Amino acid sequence: MRVSVIGCGSLGAVHAAAMASLGHDVVGIDVDEAKVAKLTAGEAPFFEPGLTETLQAGLASGRLRFSTDYADIADAVVHFIGVGTPQSRDGDGADLTYVDAAMASLRPHLRHGMLVAGKSTVPVGTAARLAGEIADTGARLAWNPEFLREGYAVKDTVDPDRLVYGVADATHDEDVALLDEVYASIIERSTPRIVTDYATAELVKVSANAFLATKISFINAMAEIAETTGADVTTLADAIGHDTRIGRKFLNAGVGFGGGCLPKDIRAFTARAEEIGNGESVAFLKQVDQINLRRRQRLVDIVTESFDGDATDRRIAVLGLAFKPDSDDIRDSPALEVAARLHELGADVVAYDPEAIPNASRTHPQLGYADSLASALTGAEAVVLVTEWRQFRNLDPEQTAELVARRSIFDGRNVLDPAEWRSADWTYRALGRA
Ligand code: UDX
C-alpha cells in the first residue's frame, strides 16, 4: 500500500520505518530539512534500539523515502499524522499547533478515497473537529492512536498488543478496510482490534497513560508511607503484585515518571476535562502529578542529608540523565532534574549517561559531564543512580568502591541489592526503603 507519514519525530520516524518493514511503500514528511537529510542517509535522528536497522532496510528496499515536500504524498492512500502534541507553553493543555499545521499542509492534496489516520495523542474532541475541517475534500478521517514505548518503539509498532481505530461511523466499512489493509500482517496474528468512535479512540490513549501514571504514583505514595513507618516499598510491591488483579508491572517505586508522554498527557487530560466540565472526574491526576514531582525532591533531600544538610562543593556522581534506560530522551526527565537541583545546591555534579549527554548538555550546560562511568565515579562522595541503565544495575560494589572517595550510594530506582552493597561497607539509601 502507498502511505505517507506526516511528522518524523519519535513517533513518525518509527512509524514510517515500521510501515516499510510491513511491505508498504512509504513517504515520511517533515518540515525539518536536517532531520529529513539524516533519515534519508539511514541515520536515526534520536536513539532508539532497532530503528537504524529498520530504516536502512526500508531505504535499501526502495519502499521508504523522506521528504520536506508535501507534493510527494500525492500517490498515498492513507496519510498518518504523527506530529508531536507537547504541553503548551502557557498552561497544561496540549499544543495542537503541529497537528493543525500538518492538516493545513495536507489539505490541498486530499481527495475522495483517501484516509487521514491520526496517531498523535490529542485532546478528546480533536478528531471530530479535524474531520469537519477536511470533509469538503472528500477524504475521510480515522483516529488510530499509538501505544509505543520508547526503547521498544519498533517492536511495539510492528507487534502491538492492540489496534484501535476510531472512525466517524462504525458502519463505514471502507475506513476500517483501509486500516486493515495497512495492518494486515499484524491482524493475521490475532492481535486484538477495536473499532470505535473518535472520542473513545482518543480517550483510550490518554486514559491508558493516565492509568499507568496513577499506578506509578500509587506505589510512590506507598513509598512515602514506607519511609515514615520503616516498611519496604519493593517488598510491598512484590507482595501486592502477586494479586493478578493488581499485577507487578509499573509498580517500581523511585524518582517517578518522566518523558514526552506521561507527564504532559495527564496534564493535558486534566485541562481538557476541565474545559468540558468534567474537571472533578480526573482531579486525582493533579495528585498523581504532585506525588511524582515530590519524589525528585525527596531524593535530593536524602542526598543532601548525607552531607549534614550542605552539599556545597561535594562531588556527586549522577548516574543517568535520560527519563528511562534505552533512550536519549530528556524531556521532563526526573534524572536530569535531580542533577540540576543538586547543582543548584552548590554540589559538584558529574553526570554520566550512555546516550543522553549530548541532549542534556545542550539544555543544562551548567552541569559537569563525564565521558565514562568510571570517570563519573572517580572521587565521588555520593553516587546517585537515577536512570536504571543495565551498566548501572550491574555495578559491582567492590569495584565501584575502588573509584569513589566515599562509599555512599543512593538508589533512585530501587534496582540494586541493598544487602550486597551494605556488606561491601557502603551506606545504601533508597526511596521507600528503610
Ligand atoms: C509511555 C507508555 O508506556 C506508552 O504506552 C505510551 O505510548 C507513551 O508513554 P514511555 O514514555 O516510552 O511510554 O515510557 P514508559 O516505559 O511508560 O515509562 C514512563 C516513565 O515511568 C519512565 O520515566 C519510567 O522510568 C517510569 N516508570 C515506569 C516508573 O517510575 N516506574 C515503573 O514501574 C514504570
Side-chain angles (χ1 to χ4, degrees), residues 201-258:
E202 291 165 320
L203 283 169
V204 168
K205 175 63 198 251
V206 284
S207 60
N209 278 354
F211 189 87
L212 294 172
T214 303
K215 203 170 174 191
I216 299 168
S217 278
F218 174 82
I219 201 66
N220 281 331
M222 297 306 107
E224 293 183 336
I225 308 275
E227 281 159 18
T228 307
T229 56
D232 185 309
V233 75
T234 55
T235 307
L236 174 81
D238 291 342
I240 64 173
H242 283 301
D243 182 332
T244 52
R245 292 170 305 174
I246 297 173
R248 181 62 178 81
K249 289 183 183 159
F250 270 66
L251 283 184
N252 295 322
V255 280
F257 59 81

Side-chain angles (χ1 to χ4, degrees), residues 36-157:
V36 165
K38 266 197 149 184
L39 288 162
T40 303
E43 286 171 45
F46 49 89
F47 179 80
E48 180 61 53
L51 178 57
T52 304
E53 295 79 352
T54 315
L55 261 178
Q56 290 178 355
L59 293 164
S61 72
R63 288 194 308 271
L64 177 63
R65 66 207 160 91
F66 295 93
S67 171
T68 53
D69 186 357
Y70 272 81
D72 287 334
I73 65 168
D75 295 338
V77 181
V78 178
H79 304 288
F80 288 103
I81 305 290
V83 294
T85 51
Q87 184 173 334
S88 50
R89 282 177 200 278
D90 50 0
D92 281 350
D95 177 357
L96 295 178
T97 312
Y98 304 109
V99 172
D100 288 331
M103 292 298 288
S105 304
L106 191 55
R107 198 186 149 76
H109 306 279
L110 293 177
R111 295 190 308 272
H112 181 76
M114 287 181 172
L115 181 70
V116 177
K119 298 208 75 72
S120 310
T121 303
V122 290
V124 59
T126 306
R129 167 173 72 80
L130 297 175
E133 287 171 13
I134 61 165
D136 61 324
T137 66
R140 299 180 56 89
L141 182 116
W143 217 258
N144 172 220
E146 185 60 63
F147 305 99
L148 63 81
R149 297 160 296 167
E150 290 184 28
Y152 301 89
V154 178
K155 185 202 159 285
D156 286 351
T157 307

